[in-house]
Amino acid sequence: MSNLLLLAPPASGKGTQAEKLEKKYGIKQISTGNLLRKASKNNDDLGRKITDTLKSGKLVDDEVVISLLREELLKLGNQPFLLDGFPRTINQAEELELLLKEIGTSLDYVFLLEVPKEVLEKRIINRRICSDCGKVYNIADSNNLNSCTTCGGLLITRSDDTVDAYQVRYMAYLNSTYPLIEYYDKKKLLYRIDAARSVEEVFESISTILNRGDEK
Ligand code: AMP
């Protein structure tokens, strides 16, 4: 099976698609956002520094994110993986290539989830996550839900899911991540997906490409 990357603005549904892909194809999801939120709970200097950066909506230092990612990839051994939230910059993409080469693997598909900004802003207001396992919910779809249907954890609003922090994250996406589209297009790994559609429709489009098995 293949190694994937989901490239998408915040609140585009990448976490939800990643979870479905993991269930159907057994590909292990690695979300750098989740790794960082977990590390931010550590009661040490690094944990506190990560907490502050997450609250601001800015990017965490490459060195910190790459070290967490390396640890996670090494744990996987030969199991295929799906990257969610990494890389976000060209520098991270280049570092990723080196890291994967060192581990003896590579990326097979990069899926670009495309969603208009107005749709994203609506989604951010309704987004909640499980404080224990990180599962994402849209409360517009699930009325009165306040605990996680998977682990029972409390559903909370992420500290960076405010309209102001969202603007910062969206601009960070446009400025830093957008060049990745060209980077992966040149490598003939990029597939564009219309992700303003329903979760199931988006998932079907991705599955169809994967099932064709035409790795570029
Ligand atoms: P996400 O859950 O992917 O939306 O990420 C939430 C926050 O974690 C981001 O706003 C950043 O502060 C941080 N973060 C996640 N992935 C990265 C990354 N690849 N590089 C730097 N910071 C990251």
Side-chain angles (χ1 to χ4, degrees):
M1 201 35 184
S2 315
N3 296 323
L4 320 184
L5 162 61
L6 292 185
L7 206 55
S12 60
K14 67 175 158 28
T16 306
Q17 292 298 327
E19 193 186 319
K20 289 178 78 66
L21 285 161
E22 183 169 340
K23 257 189 205 146
K24 178 162 178 186
Y25 296 102
I27 304 173
K28 176 73 181 156
Q29 178 191 355
I30 301 178
S31 153
T32 44
N34 285 350
L35 292 178
L36 287 164
R37 278 185 285 278
K38 199 170 159 199
S40 76
K41 287 181 186 161
N42 293 337
N43 192 19
D44 55 21
D45 283 351
L46 183 59
R48 282 186 284 276
K49 195 175 167 211
I50 294 173
T51 304
D52 288 345
T53 312
L54 292 182
K55 262 190 205 151
S56 74
K58 291 183 186 154
L59 293 182
V60 173
D61 291 347
D62 282 0
E63 206 186 313
V64 173
V65 188
I66 290 165
S67 135
L68 289 171
L69 179 64
R70 173 194 297 271
E71 209 177 293
E72 207 63 19
L73 285 169
L74 288 174
K75 270 192 227 157
L76 286 186
N78 288 331
Q79 192 181 351
F81 57 83
L82 181 158
L83 293 180
D84 166 10
F86 189 97
R88 272 169 151 88
T89 64
I90 294 288
N91 187 54
Q92 289 187 356
E94 289 169 350
E95 290 284 339
L96 176 66
E97 222 167 298
L98 292 177
L99 178 57
L100 294 181
K101 206 169 171 186
E102 179 196 317
I103 296 174
T105 187
S106 59
L107 276 182
D108 301 303
Y109 296 93
V110 175
F111 290 106
L112 173 66
L113 304 191
E114 298 183 296
V115 189
K117 189 166 180 247
E118 316 80 75
V119 177
L120 294 171
E121 280 171 347
K122 270 191 202 140
R123 286 185 187 173
I124 209 85
I125 294 167
N126 290 319
R127 182 156 80 166
R128 300 292 180 274
I129 63 163
C130 172
S131 53
D132 287 339
C133 72
K135 187 172 174 182
V136 179
Y137 291 86
N138 182 330
I139 55 161
D141 298 338
S142 39
N143 260 345
N144 296 326
L145 192 68
N146 50 26
S147 59
C148 178
T149 54
T150 302
C151 76
L154 188 68
L155 298 192
I156 55 166
T157 301
R158 265 169 50 171
S159 62
D160 55 357
D161 275 353
T162 62
V163 174
D164 285 351
Y166 186 76
Q167 298 305 325
V168 176
R169 291 161 70 205
Y170 188 76
M171 288 315 289
Y173 171 74
L174 286 189
N175 292 337
S176 307
T177 315
Y178 202 74
L180 292 171
I181 295 167
E182 200 187 347
Y183 181 89
Y184 285 116
D185 203 18
K186 274 193 188 143
K187 291 186 182 288
K188 304 212 179 304
L189 290 173
L190 192 81
Y191 292 81
R192 290 173 184 273
I193 305 288
D194 170 6
R197 297 171 298 158
S198 72
V199 168
E200 290 310 326
E201 285 169 319
V202 173
F203 186 60
E204 199 181 320
S205 294
I206 297 175
S207 295
T208 302
I209 294 166
L210 289 179
N211 293 340
R212 277 207 310 255
D214 57 347
E215 290 172 25
K216 287 188 183 179

